[in-house]
């Protein structure tokens, strides 16, 4: 007899493992399967998906290590701290990153035991629907489920004709395991992954060139943020970012990679020691037998879902990177919780307009809601308040006054429409804006909320005051 479950989750990344845990918390008999996409030294499948294994977590570990090295090399002196002959031990830095990943991945297995989620190693795919129940093949076993949640995530998009060997030509996986500081690093793509990986190796001493096909830098961000970030990353930090380029040819040599491309000045050639390809991600739908059971995909290969992540098939749901929307771990987690709760009969929903974005460069970039250019395009009347961290006492004390906080509110109702932050700890500061917007808050609500002094969060307070042209410290 095959095992029977109320819910089977295909995929153990952030969206999948969170969905499984929440479903089990609600009393549903739940299983979660994961293939050997990421295996531990023993060859056993690792939970956590791209995010924990080769994405969010390891990249932030490397970013922090490289930032400390950069501070020790250049910033400690202003505090009266002298650190001569600072060096970086890259293998130790990589080992620390790996230890963090191992700890967190092991923690998910512990959570599965705690909440009684059955973990079944193996690739999951649909077999058929019989008498209202789904048969799902996991490895060599076929299990039965009333509901199936697809959370298979995504993988790095590769350029046609550009072989990724994780030695000379790397995607996100190889970029996190470079064994030494490359003298010359090339990066194709100036998105989140490209900028973060460029930041790591630039701080450690690489000469970094970023080639981006789009004509505008950080087009998804608020124009003021993108403009200021451009100046910081290029003029102050020395990243060579070229926009509007067209890749012609990538040729790996014995120890280097040659990139031929075209920009406004014509044909160009760049030779680097390592090349990172960071041109987006592709949803993982291969091997699901989607066509065999009639699971609908959209024109971009993602699983088509409604606002509550229900697919066209009865009792089949899909969450995370495999469905439309931003490929963000926290977005996938929220979708996983929503689906589990809807299966259990609750009326949970998600406000996709209040999902925050973060780029973990230095300074960090974070935003939620609409940009100023989006409001203009939609003819929405708005007002704004913008406060630089230069006017913030805590930022001065920490020796980093780069950036600003910008609050956009409706001109008539004062409801907060968007908040945009460029600066230290922007990733943490944006949470206050998310909460305010989730409750339909007004700029006045933030302005009337007492913020501890001295804190970086006071910049948010001042920006909210500035919406009504009554900031107190700028």
């Amino acid at each position: 007899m095959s095992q029977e479950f109320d819910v089977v989750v295909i995929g153990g990344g952030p969206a999948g493992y969170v969905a499984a845990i929440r479903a089990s918390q609600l009393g549903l008999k739940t299983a979660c399967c994961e293939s050997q996409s990421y295996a531990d030294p023993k060859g056993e499948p690792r939970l956590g998906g791209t995010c924990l294994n080769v994405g969010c977590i390891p990249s932030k570990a490397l970013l922090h290590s490289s930032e400390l090295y950069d501070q020790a090399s250049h910033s400690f002196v202003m505090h009266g701290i002298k650190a001569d002959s600072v060096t970086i031990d890259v293998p130790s830095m990589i080992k620390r990153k790996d230890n963090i990943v191992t700890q967190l991945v092991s923690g998910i297995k512990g959570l599965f035991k705690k909440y009684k989620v059955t973990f079944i190693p193996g690739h999951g795919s649909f077999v058929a629907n019989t008498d209202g129940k789904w048969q799902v093949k996991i490895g060599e076993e076929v299990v039965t489920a009333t509901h199936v949640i697809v959370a298979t995530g995504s993988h790095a998009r590769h350029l046609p004709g550009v072989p990724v060997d994780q030695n000379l030509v790397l995607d996100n996986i190889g970029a996190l395991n470079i064994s030494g500081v490359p003298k010359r690093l090339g990066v194709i793509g100036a998105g989140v992954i490209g900028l973060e990986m460029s930041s790591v190796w630039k701080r450690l001493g690489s000469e970094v060139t970023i080639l981006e096909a789009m004509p505008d830098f950080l087009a998804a961000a608020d124009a003021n943020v993108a403009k200021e970030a451009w100046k910081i990353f290029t003029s102050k930090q020395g990243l060579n970012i070229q926009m509007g380029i067209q890749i012609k040819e990538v040729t790996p040599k014995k120890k280097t990679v040659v990139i031929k491309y075209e920009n406004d000045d014509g044909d160009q050639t760049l030779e680097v020691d390592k090349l990172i390809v960071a041109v987006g991600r592709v949803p993982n739908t291969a091997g699901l037998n989607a066509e065999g059971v009639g699971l609908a995909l959209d024109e971009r290969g993602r699983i088509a879902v409604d606002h509550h992540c229900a697919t066209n098939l009865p009792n089949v749901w899909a969450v995370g990177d495999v469905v439309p929307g931003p490929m963000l771990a926290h977005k996938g987690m929220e979708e996983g919780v929503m689906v589990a709760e809807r299966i259990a009969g609750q009326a949970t929903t998600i406000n996709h307009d209040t999902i925050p974005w973060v780029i973990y460069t230095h300074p960090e970039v974070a935003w939620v809601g609409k940009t100023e250019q989006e409001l203009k395009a939609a003819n929405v009347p708005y007002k704004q308040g913008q406060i630089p961290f230069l006017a913030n006492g805590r930022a001065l004390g920490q020796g980093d006054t780069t950036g600003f906080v910008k609050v956009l509110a409706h001109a008539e109702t004062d409801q907060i429409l968007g908040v945009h932050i460029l600066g230290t700890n922007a990733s943490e500061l944006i949470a206050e804006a998310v909460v305010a917007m989730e409750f339909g808050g007004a700029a006045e609500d933030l302005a009337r909320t007492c913020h501890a002094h001295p804190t970086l969060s006071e910049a948010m307070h001042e920006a909210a005051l500035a919406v009504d042209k009554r900031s107190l410290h700028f």
Side-chain angles (χ1 to χ4, degrees):
M1 295 291 291
S2 67
Q3 297 187 76
E4 294 190 10
F5 298 93
D6 297 316
V7 179
V8 166
V9 182
I10 302 177
Y17 80 73
V18 167
I21 289 172
R22 185 65 185 125
S24 192
Q25 287 177 339
L26 292 165
L28 299 166
K29 185 179 180 183
T30 305
C32 179
C33 67
E34 177 58 74
S35 66
Q36 288 183 305
S37 299
Y38 309 109
D40 63 19
K42 297 180 181 179
E44 297 179 358
R46 298 180 70 148
L47 292 163
T50 295
C51 176
L52 266 69
N53 288 280
V54 291
C56 317
I57 299 303
S59 64
K60 303 314 165 281
L62 294 186
L63 280 160
H64 186 65
S65 295
S66 65
E67 186 174 338
L68 290 177
Y69 172 79
D70 186 68
Q71 289 177 356
S73 301
H74 304 105
S75 302
F76 279 7
V77 64
M78 76 171 70
H79 299 279
I81 302 171
K82 295 182 179 180
D84 296 327
S85 302
V86 177
T87 60
I88 183 69
D89 181 350
V90 173
S92 294
M93 180 180 75
I94 298 296
K95 182 178 179 180
R96 172 183 175 273
K97 176 262 298 182
D98 291 340
N99 289 340
I100 292 169
V101 170
T102 298
Q103 179 180 341
L104 288 175
V105 168
S106 300
I108 300 173
K109 286 189 175 181
L111 289 171
F112 273 15
K113 291 180 180 179
K114 177 180 178 180
Y115 292 109
K116 297 180 174 58
V117 175
T118 300
F119 174 50
I120 306 176
H123 178 82
S125 63
F126 290 95
V127 177
N129 185 296
T130 305
D131 300 326
K133 301 282 187 178
W134 286 101
Q135 280 73 53
V136 179
K137 185 177 181 181
I138 304 174
E140 299 302 318
E141 179 183 4
V142 175
V143 302
T144 301
T146 303
H147 292 266
V148 178
I149 304 174
V150 181
T152 45
S154 64
H155 61 276
R157 183 188 303 277
H158 292 172
L159 292 172
V162 181
V164 173
D165 62 3
Q166 307 298 15
N167 178 31
L168 291 175
V169 182
L170 323 164
D171 58 19
N172 62 291
I173 296 174
L176 293 166
N177 286 299
I178 298 176
S179 59
V181 180
K183 182 179 180 181
R184 300 165 301 175
L185 175 67
V187 180
I188 300 178
V192 175
I193 296 173
L195 287 173
E196 291 183 355
M197 289 298 93
S198 296
S199 294
V200 168
W201 299 107
K202 175 61 179 176
R203 292 170 189 161
L204 299 182
S206 291
E207 177 185 314
V208 180
T209 301
I210 303 176
L211 305 175
E212 169 58 51
M214 298 298 290
D216 299 319
F217 181 65
L218 289 182
D222 187 85
N224 286 13
V225 170
K227 182 179 180 180
E228 186 64 22
W230 171 269
K231 290 191 295 184
I232 294 168
F233 296 152
T234 57
S235 299
K236 295 184 179 180
Q237 297 183 4
L239 290 176
N240 178 8
I241 307 176
Q242 300 184 34
M243 306 298 296
I245 64 92
Q246 182 179 356
I247 300 295
K248 295 292 189 179
E249 184 181 359
V250 175
T251 306
K253 302 290 187 180
K254 187 174 181 180
K255 293 184 178 181
T256 63
V257 182
V258 177
I259 306 104
K260 293 184 178 180
Y261 64 98
E262 182 182 346
N263 60 16
D264 291 340
D265 296 323
D267 292 335
Q268 307 291 334
T269 299
L270 173 69
E271 186 170 10
V272 296
D273 302 295
K274 300 284 185 182
L275 175 65
I276 297 174
V277 178
V279 292
R281 300 187 63 79
V282 180
N284 292 327
T285 54
L288 283 173
N289 191 28
E291 184 177 351
V293 295
L295 179 62
L297 306 181
D298 67 12
E299 69 283 354
R300 295 176 60 181
R302 303 168 299 189
I303 296 176
V305 293
D306 65 14
H307 191 67
H308 295 121
C309 292
T311 73
N312 65 306
L313 299 178
N315 295 340
V316 176
W317 315 74
V319 296
D321 284 6
V322 81
V323 304
M327 290 183 173
L328 301 170
H330 47 279
K331 174 255 194 185
M333 291 181 185
E334 293 302 312
E335 289 175 338
V337 170
M338 174 183 69
V339 166
E341 292 180 350
R342 293 190 75 84
I343 290 173
Q346 299 182 17
T348 309
T349 189
I350 290 177
N351 181 3
H352 284 85
D353 292 332
T354 56
I355 294 174
W357 288 74
V358 180
I359 304 175
Y360 295 86
T361 48
H362 186 83
E364 293 180 345
V365 181
W367 72 89
V368 61
K370 301 297 184 182
T371 64
E372 188 172 353
Q373 56 265 35
E374 287 174 329
L375 295 178
K376 287 180 179 178
N379 292 317
V380 176
Y382 68 93
K383 50 187 177 178
Q384 66 170 297
Q386 182 171 314
I387 295 295
F389 282 106
L390 186 63
N392 181 271
R394 183 66 183 276
L396 283 164
Q398 292 181 173
D400 190 351
T401 58
T402 305
F404 57 85
V405 176
K406 179 178 180 178
V407 175
L408 300 169
H410 197 284
E412 299 166 0
T413 67
D414 197 42
Q415 183 176 3
I416 301 170
L417 302 176
V419 176
H420 307 270
I421 308 173
L422 174 68
T424 300
N425 287 351
S427 58
E428 305 292 343
L429 296 174
I430 199 65
E432 178 181 8
V434 175
V435 172
M437 292 178 65
E438 188 68 21
F439 281 90
E444 178 76 5
D445 293 321
L446 284 182
R448 295 290 180 184
T449 299
C450 182
H451 291 66
H453 174 77
T455 59
L456 296 175
S457 68
E458 287 180 289
M460 180 82 74
H461 182 229
E462 288 285 326
L465 286 166
V467 168
D468 196 36
K469 295 181 173 56
R470 55 190 178 97
S471 59
L472 297 172
H473 296 90
F474 182 77

